[in-house]
Amino acid sequence: MTSNSQFSRRRLLQFGAAAAGTAALASCGRGLGGSSSSSGGGGSKGALDFMFWGEGDQNKKLIEALDLYQKSEGATKVNPQYSGFSGYYDKLATRVAGGNPPDVYQIHLPYLMEYVKRGAVAPLDQYKDDLGLDQMPDYVATTTKADGKYYFALLGAATQPAIIVNTTKLKGLGLSAPGPDWTIDQYKSAMADVWSKSGHKLAGTADLGGSPIALESFLRGRGKALFGDGGSLGFGEDDMAAWLQLWQDLRGNGSAVPMAVTAAATGFQNDPVTIGKAAYTGTATSRGLPSMQSLTKETLSLGTFPSGGPGSQPGTNIIPAGWFAISPKSKNIEGAVSMLKYLTSKPDAANAMGLARGVPIPEDIRDGVAKSATGLNKLVLDNYALVASKGPAALQMYPPGASKLLQTSLPNVNQVVGFGKSSVSQAVTKFFSDAKAALK
């Protein structure tokens, strides 16, 4: 039915404006006691260049799992190359275009089909058993394939979107977090209550108006999808107007932070909840909760995105936490498969990563992690089980051109409305014009 996208260039891992991330990929490298190679295409002596991004402790945890893999029998040498999200796709695109791609690289939903069409992803049909590709749950299985072939390995999954709640702030205001079945109208009331109870000192929420993930959840509640048949938009101008007006109204009455705060909110460390400007925020997926909690002494909890009301699709879905592609130019595809198989199916790798790279998809691995889960990890696992029990819709591949539309145009039109430089109707016209140009 509908699909889930990742965030804008301001905030991949958070709801809001353009690219989240920390260090640019130009400074990436192992950084944890080792060297990194930029040779690409297999590196020296068959070593694998493995390129990925992460926030909080996500890169550190993946490195720990890779270190375990390196000690396993028959392991291939791996050169990790990693950073935050900012600059990642510029660097990746440069390497692919220059004929020097990494052997294995992380990618996310808006780019999957684009990189397949570029011939930058090796088919994985002959390795589907090794990577468990034909054993994936229906709600994520569709994004492992394109044009009938397997292309992408999945490291973990998570609920999407996730609402992060500062329960310390709410308790201080005499408020409580909402239940899992709240609606958009109840969401608006809850955000207004925070602003009112705080004496107009604390906004209810971060601004989610520039997030494709939040938009898609909103559309799902209206019985619509981001994209329809043939790669066109799956919703109308009235839907987009309602979305932009929702956030303009929330900003206008103090329920959402001002656009100036959103424009400066790059990365978890500058999120409105982290800096004490709002009681609620959003992350791309539930795996962002532990990373955000590491940045504040106040207690955070996890909620679901509001729905459209009785009879509508749930606002929160399940999405892979990470897709990984192998370059057809790699000189060691077998080694790349070996590494990905270890990361996706070995209990010791799952224990090393915890939930930093998502909830393990294989049921036996997930059950093993759940047995020892406490605190925030238990919240994430319980949230995953709750959403899975509601029958989440299967994801769909995004058409080529979606990445620019979702990661540039959407946050831009929300921003110009928020800064008072455009009316909602003008912004809607601009977005649909951008869509016509991008989705060819």
Side-chain angles (χ1 to χ4, degrees):
M1 185 175 172
T2 186
S3 60
N4 289 281
S5 75
Q6 299 294 325
F7 280 169
S8 67
R9 284 206 178 242
R10 203 67 169 273
R11 307 241 320 247
L12 172 71
L13 296 171
Q14 294 171 283
F15 286 112
T22 50
L25 201 60
S27 63
C28 75
R30 179 170 176 83
L32 295 175
S35 62
S36 115
S37 165
S38 60
S39 58
S44 61
K45 299 180 181 179
L48 301 172
D49 283 354
F50 183 18
M51 187 169 162
F52 53 91
W53 80 82
E55 295 292 336
D57 65 352
Q58 291 163 359
N59 288 340
K60 178 177 179 291
K61 292 292 188 181
L62 182 51
I63 290 294
E64 290 175 6
L66 285 172
D67 285 344
L68 291 175
Y69 167 68
Q70 298 281 232
K71 297 173 184 176
S72 67
E73 184 177 354
T76 299
K77 179 176 172 54
V78 180
N79 297 319
Q81 302 173 359
Y82 55 93
S83 73
F85 182 66
S86 182
Y88 178 85
Y89 278 103
D90 293 335
K91 180 71 172 181
L92 178 61
T94 297
R95 290 190 61 171
V96 169
N100 181 39
D103 296 273
V104 185
Y105 56 92
Q106 185 177 356
I107 191 168
H108 73 292
L109 191 55
Y111 287 94
L112 300 185
M113 188 62 78
E114 291 186 22
Y115 273 68
V116 168
K117 295 299 186 184
R118 291 183 194 181
V121 189
L124 299 176
D125 291 68
Q126 70 186 94
Y127 307 109
K128 66 180 181 179
D129 293 334
D130 289 318
L131 298 173
L133 299 182
D134 55 354
Q135 301 296 320
M136 294 290 167
D138 290 343
Y139 47 78
V140 294
T142 50
T143 60
T144 64
K145 302 181 79 171
D147 299 331
K149 294 181 180 180
Y150 288 106
Y151 282 102
F152 303 102
L154 306 181
L155 184 52
T159 59
Q160 179 190 53
I163 295 296
I164 305 298
V165 187
N166 187 322
T167 54
T168 300
K169 285 283 197 294
L170 292 186
K171 185 176 180 180
L173 298 174
L175 300 171
S176 58
D181 297 319
W182 63 336
T183 66
I184 288 289
D185 286 341
Q186 290 170 330
Y187 176 84
K188 291 190 290 185
S189 295
M191 300 309 108
D193 285 346
V194 173
W195 180 244
S196 175
K197 294 282 188 179
S198 68
H200 298 176
K201 294 179 181 178
L202 183 70
T205 180
D207 185 343
L208 317 185
S211 162
I213 296 170
L215 170 61
E216 184 170 30
S217 293
F218 175 78
L219 292 171
R220 190 158 52 240
R222 294 166 72 95
K224 306 289 181 67
L226 271 176
F227 299 102
D229 296 335
S232 60
L233 290 175
F235 61 96
E237 293 189 7
D238 57 332
D239 299 304
M240 189 65 183
W243 175 249
L244 293 177
Q245 190 63 56
L246 168 65
W247 293 100
Q248 181 69 342
D249 291 345
L250 290 171
R251 289 186 295 263
N253 65 21
S255 296
V257 296
M259 183 54 70
V261 173
T262 301
T266 54
F268 287 151
Q269 70 275 16
N270 295 315
D271 183 88
V273 163
T274 305
I275 64 176
K277 297 288 187 181
Y280 291 76
T281 189
T283 66
T285 68
S286 53
R287 71 191 180 105
L289 176 62
S291 296
M292 284 205 67
Q293 183 64 79
S294 70
L295 298 172
T296 178
K297 294 181 179 180
E298 297 183 326
T299 301
L300 305 182
S301 188
L302 185 63
T304 56
F305 195 84
S307 71
S312 67
Q313 286 284 326
T316 298
N317 213 341
I318 290 180
I319 190 168
W323 292 263
F324 291 86
I326 298 175
S327 169
K329 290 183 175 291
S330 175
K331 299 173 185 176
N332 193 358
I333 289 180
E334 296 281 347
V337 170
S338 168
M339 180 192 72
L340 290 176
K341 178 180 179 180
Y342 187 92
L343 293 176
T344 58
S345 66
K346 296 300 182 182
D348 55 351
N351 290 332
M353 290 184 287
L355 301 183
R357 287 282 167 176
V359 174
I361 296 175
E363 188 174 358
D364 58 333
I365 304 294
R366 184 167 67 249
D367 289 346
V369 171
K371 286 179 182 178
S372 59
T374 59
L376 294 179
N377 283 345
K378 189 174 187 307
L379 282 178
V380 171
L381 285 161
D382 288 348
N383 178 260
Y384 186 98
L386 171 68
V387 174
S389 72
K390 293 180 178 293
L395 303 178
Q396 65 176 173
M397 284 285 199
Y398 287 177
S403 59
K404 182 177 181 180
L405 180 68
L406 298 177
Q407 299 184 167
T408 302
S409 181
L410 178 60
N412 284 350
V413 295
N414 184 59
Q415 190 169 96
V416 294
V417 172
F419 278 128
K421 296 180 179 179
S422 171
S423 67
V424 167
S425 62
Q426 289 170 332
V428 169
T429 298
K430 177 64 165 66
F431 180 81
F432 274 76
S433 175
D434 290 348
K436 186 177 181 179
L439 302 175
K440 296 180 180 178

